[in-house]
PDB file of all heavy atoms in Angstrom:
ATOM      1  N   ALA A 378     -29.596  27.899 -33.707  1.00 98.00           N
ATOM      2  CA  ALA A 378     -30.401  26.951 -34.490  1.00 98.00           C
ATOM      3  C   ALA A 378     -29.875  25.526 -34.341  1.00 98.00           C
ATOM      4  O   ALA A 378     -28.669  25.317 -34.214  1.00 98.00           O
ATOM      5  CB  ALA A 378     -30.366  27.360 -35.965  1.00 98.00           C
ATOM      6  N   TRP A 379     -30.798  24.568 -34.371  1.00 98.00           N
ATOM      7  CA  TRP A 379     -30.391  23.157 -34.353  1.00 98.00           C
ATOM      8  C   TRP A 379     -29.422  22.884 -35.488  1.00 98.00           C
ATOM      9  O   TRP A 379     -29.653  23.304 -36.622  1.00 98.00           O
ATOM     10  CB  TRP A 379     -31.613  22.233 -34.492  1.00 98.00           C
ATOM     11  CG  TRP A 379     -32.500  22.234 -33.293  1.00 98.00           C
ATOM     12  CD1 TRP A 379     -33.749  22.757 -33.194  1.00 98.00           C
ATOM     13  CD2 TRP A 379     -32.201  21.661 -32.013  1.00 98.00           C
ATOM     14  NE1 TRP A 379     -34.247  22.561 -31.936  1.00 98.00           N
ATOM     15  CE2 TRP A 379     -33.319  21.893 -31.188  1.00 98.00           C
ATOM     16  CE3 TRP A 379     -31.096  20.988 -31.479  1.00 98.00           C
ATOM     17  CZ2 TRP A 379     -33.366  21.469 -29.861  1.00 98.00           C
ATOM     18  CZ3 TRP A 379     -31.135  20.566 -30.164  1.00 98.00           C
ATOM     19  CH2 TRP A 379     -32.259  20.805 -29.368  1.00 98.00           C
ATOM     20  N   GLY A 380     -28.356  22.206 -35.186  1.00 98.00           N
ATOM     21  CA  GLY A 380     -27.422  21.774 -36.221  1.00 98.00           C
ATOM     22  C   GLY A 380     -26.448  22.846 -36.676  1.00 98.00           C
ATOM     23  O   GLY A 380     -25.615  22.593 -37.541  1.00 98.00           O
ATOM     24  N   ASP A 381     -26.520  24.040 -36.086  1.00 98.00           N
ATOM     25  CA  ASP A 381     -25.623  25.123 -36.504  1.00 98.00           C
ATOM     26  C   ASP A 381     -24.266  24.969 -35.788  1.00 98.00           C
ATOM     27  O   ASP A 381     -24.029  25.534 -34.714  1.00 98.00           O
ATOM     28  CB  ASP A 381     -26.270  26.478 -36.182  1.00 98.00           C
ATOM     29  CG  ASP A 381     -25.470  27.637 -36.785  1.00 98.00           C
ATOM     30  OD1 ASP A 381     -24.291  27.420 -37.145  1.00 98.00           O
ATOM     31  OD2 ASP A 381     -26.025  28.748 -36.890  1.00 98.00           O
ATOM     32  N   GLY A 382     -23.409  24.195 -36.421  1.00 98.00           N
ATOM     33  CA  GLY A 382     -22.106  23.894 -35.817  1.00 98.00           C
ATOM     34  C   GLY A 382     -21.243  25.130 -35.639  1.00 98.00           C
ATOM     35  O   GLY A 382     -20.514  25.259 -34.662  1.00 98.00           O
ATOM     36  N   LYS A 383     -21.343  26.041 -36.605  1.00 98.00           N
ATOM     37  CA  LYS A 383     -20.521  27.262 -36.541  1.00 98.00           C
ATOM     38  C   LYS A 383     -20.903  28.075 -35.295  1.00 98.00           C
ATOM     39  O   LYS A 383     -20.039  28.535 -34.536  1.00 98.00           O
ATOM     40  CB  LYS A 383     -20.778  28.087 -37.810  1.00 98.00           C
ATOM     41  CG  LYS A 383     -19.587  28.831 -38.296  1.00 98.00           C
ATOM     42  CD  LYS A 383     -19.873  29.407 -39.667  1.00 98.00           C
ATOM     43  CE  LYS A 383     -19.012  30.639 -39.843  1.00 98.00           C
ATOM     44  NZ  LYS A 383     -19.427  31.467 -40.939  1.00 98.00           N
ATOM     45  N   ALA A 384     -22.214  28.223 -35.089  1.00 98.00           N
ATOM     46  CA  ALA A 384     -22.686  29.002 -33.934  1.00 98.00           C
ATOM     47  C   ALA A 384     -22.339  28.274 -32.625  1.00 98.00           C
ATOM     48  O   ALA A 384     -21.977  28.905 -31.621  1.00 98.00           O
ATOM     49  CB  ALA A 384     -24.197  29.211 -34.027  1.00 98.00           C
ATOM     50  N   ALA A 385     -22.422  26.936 -32.647  1.00 98.00           N
ATOM     51  CA  ALA A 385     -22.115  26.166 -31.434  1.00 98.00           C
ATOM     52  C   ALA A 385     -20.638  26.310 -31.076  1.00 98.00           C
ATOM     53  O   ALA A 385     -20.279  26.506 -29.910  1.00 98.00           O
ATOM     54  CB  ALA A 385     -22.482  24.694 -31.646  1.00 98.00           C
ATOM     55  N   LEU A 386     -19.768  26.227 -32.100  1.00 98.00           N
ATOM     56  CA  LEU A 386     -18.326  26.376 -31.847  1.00 98.00           C
ATOM     57  C   LEU A 386     -18.025  27.767 -31.322  1.00 98.00           C
ATOM     58  O   LEU A 386     -17.239  27.938 -30.379  1.00 98.00           O
ATOM     59  CB  LEU A 386     -17.547  26.087 -33.141  1.00 98.00           C
ATOM     60  CG  LEU A 386     -16.031  26.252 -33.083  1.00 98.00           C
ATOM     61  CD1 LEU A 386     -15.404  25.351 -32.014  1.00 98.00           C
ATOM     62  CD2 LEU A 386     -15.395  25.944 -34.445  1.00 98.00           C
ATOM     63  N   SER A 387     -18.686  28.738 -31.903  1.00 98.00           N
ATOM     64  CA  SER A 387     -18.440  30.105 -31.447  1.00 98.00           C
ATOM     65  C   SER A 387     -18.920  30.298 -29.993  1.00 98.00           C
ATOM     66  O   SER A 387     -18.269  30.968 -29.188  1.00 98.00           O
ATOM     67  CB  SER A 387     -19.103  31.023 -32.464  1.00 98.00           C
ATOM     68  OG  SER A 387     -19.572  32.153 -31.920  1.00 98.00           O
ATOM     69  N   LEU A 388     -20.035  29.631 -29.640  1.00 98.00           N
ATOM     70  CA  LEU A 388     -20.524  29.716 -28.260  1.00 98.00           C
ATOM     71  C   LEU A 388     -19.541  29.047 -27.287  1.00 98.00           C
ATOM     72  O   LEU A 388     -19.262  29.568 -26.195  1.00 98.00           O
ATOM     73  CB  LEU A 388     -21.910  29.050 -28.179  1.00 98.00           C
ATOM     74  CG  LEU A 388     -22.614  29.048 -26.821  1.00 98.00           C
ATOM     75  CD1 LEU A 388     -22.730  30.453 -26.237  1.00 98.00           C
ATOM     76  CD2 LEU A 388     -24.019  28.438 -26.949  1.00 98.00           C
ATOM     77  N   VAL A 389     -18.999  27.907 -27.688  1.00 98.00           N
ATOM     78  CA  VAL A 389     -18.019  27.220 -26.835  1.00 98.00           C
ATOM     79  C   VAL A 389     -16.798  28.118 -26.609  1.00 98.00           C
ATOM     80  O   VAL A 389     -16.236  28.177 -25.513  1.00 98.00           O
ATOM     81  CB  VAL A 389     -17.623  25.854 -27.462  1.00 98.00           C
ATOM     82  CG1 VAL A 389     -16.470  25.221 -26.699  1.00 98.00           C
ATOM     83  CG2 VAL A 389     -18.804  24.902 -27.465  1.00 98.00           C
ATOM     84  N   LYS A 390     -16.423  28.855 -27.652  1.00 98.00           N
ATOM     85  CA  LYS A 390     -15.253  29.746 -27.517  1.00 98.00           C
ATOM     86  C   LYS A 390     -15.529  30.906 -26.554  1.00 98.00           C
ATOM     87  O   LYS A 390     -14.620  31.579 -26.099  1.00 98.00           O
ATOM     88  CB  LYS A 390     -14.861  30.301 -28.890  1.00 98.00           C
ATOM     89  CG  LYS A 390     -14.159  29.265 -29.755  1.00 98.00           C
ATOM     90  CD  LYS A 390     -13.771  29.855 -31.103  1.00 98.00           C
ATOM     91  CE  LYS A 390     -13.069  28.814 -31.954  1.00 98.00           C
ATOM     92  NZ  LYS A 390     -12.920  29.227 -33.359  1.00 98.00           N
ATOM     93  N   GLU A 391     -16.819  31.150 -26.278  1.00 98.00           N
ATOM     94  CA  GLU A 391     -17.166  32.230 -25.334  1.00 98.00           C
ATOM     95  C   GLU A 391     -17.076  31.794 -23.870  1.00 98.00           C
ATOM     96  O   GLU A 391     -17.222  32.622 -22.963  1.00 98.00           O
ATOM     97  CB  GLU A 391     -18.603  32.706 -25.594  1.00 98.00           C
ATOM     98  CG  GLU A 391     -18.769  33.542 -26.842  1.00 98.00           C
ATOM     99  CD  GLU A 391     -20.210  33.992 -27.006  1.00 98.00           C
ATOM    100  OE1 GLU A 391     -20.873  34.330 -26.008  1.00 98.00           O
ATOM    101  OE2 GLU A 391     -20.693  33.985 -28.160  1.00 98.00           O
ATOM    102  N   ILE A 392     -16.894  30.492 -23.635  1.00 98.00           N
ATOM    103  CA  ILE A 392     -16.929  30.002 -22.244  1.00 98.00           C
ATOM    104  C   ILE A 392     -15.941  30.791 -21.375  1.00 98.00           C
ATOM    105  O   ILE A 392     -14.757  30.892 -21.687  1.00 98.00           O
ATOM    106  CB  ILE A 392     -16.649  28.479 -22.165  1.00 98.00           C
ATOM    107  CG1 ILE A 392     -17.819  27.715 -22.795  1.00 98.00           C
ATOM    108  CG2 ILE A 392     -16.444  28.013 -20.712  1.00 98.00           C
ATOM    109  CD1 ILE A 392     -17.635  26.216 -22.897  1.00 98.00           C
ATOM    110  N   GLY A 393     -16.485  31.347 -20.316  1.00 91.00           N
ATOM    111  CA  GLY A 393     -15.656  32.108 -19.388  1.00 91.00           C
ATOM    112  C   GLY A 393     -15.404  33.544 -19.838  1.00 91.00           C
ATOM    113  O   GLY A 393     -14.770  34.309 -19.124  1.00 91.00           O
ATOM    114  N   LYS A 394     -15.898  33.900 -21.034  1.00 97.00           N
ATOM    115  CA  LYS A 394     -15.571  35.245 -21.547  1.00 97.00           C
ATOM    116  C   LYS A 394     -16.776  36.172 -21.604  1.00 97.00           C
ATOM    117  O   LYS A 394     -16.623  37.386 -21.523  1.00 97.00           O
ATOM    118  CB  LYS A 394     -14.972  35.127 -22.953  1.00 97.00           C
ATOM    119  CG  LYS A 394     -13.614  34.432 -22.948  1.00 97.00           C
ATOM    120  CD  LYS A 394     -13.049  34.342 -24.347  1.00 97.00           C
ATOM    121  CE  LYS A 394     -11.736  33.585 -24.331  1.00 97.00           C
ATOM    122  NZ  LYS A 394     -11.467  32.888 -25.586  1.00 97.00           N
ATOM    123  N   THR A 395     -17.950  35.628 -21.841  1.00 98.00           N
ATOM    124  CA  THR A 395     -19.150  36.473 -21.944  1.00 98.00           C
ATOM    125  C   THR A 395     -20.205  35.915 -20.975  1.00 98.00           C
ATOM    126  O   THR A 395     -20.048  34.807 -20.447  1.00 98.00           O
ATOM    127  CB  THR A 395     -19.745  36.397 -23.366  1.00 98.00           C
ATOM    128  OG1 THR A 395     -20.145  35.035 -23.598  1.00 98.00           O
ATOM    129  CG2 THR A 395     -18.735  36.803 -24.433  1.00 98.00           C
ATOM    130  N   ASP A 396     -21.293  36.634 -20.791  1.00 98.00           N
ATOM    131  CA  ASP A 396     -22.365  36.138 -19.915  1.00 98.00           C
ATOM    132  C   ASP A 396     -22.901  34.803 -20.425  1.00 98.00           C
ATOM    133  O   ASP A 396     -23.130  33.876 -19.670  1.00 98.00           O
ATOM    134  CB  ASP A 396     -23.518  37.156 -19.843  1.00 98.00           C
ATOM    135  CG  ASP A 396     -23.126  38.363 -18.995  1.00 98.00           C
ATOM    136  OD1 ASP A 396     -22.073  38.290 -18.323  1.00 98.00           O
ATOM    137  OD2 ASP A 396     -23.855  39.374 -19.028  1.00 98.00           O
TER     138      ASP A 396
END
Side-chain angles (χ1 to χ4, degrees):
W379 290 110
D381 188 343
K383 214 170 153 195
L386 177 58
S387 148
L388 181 54
V389 172
K390 285 181 180 168
E391 286 181 39
I392 292 175
K394 293 180 183 151
T395 63
D396 286 349

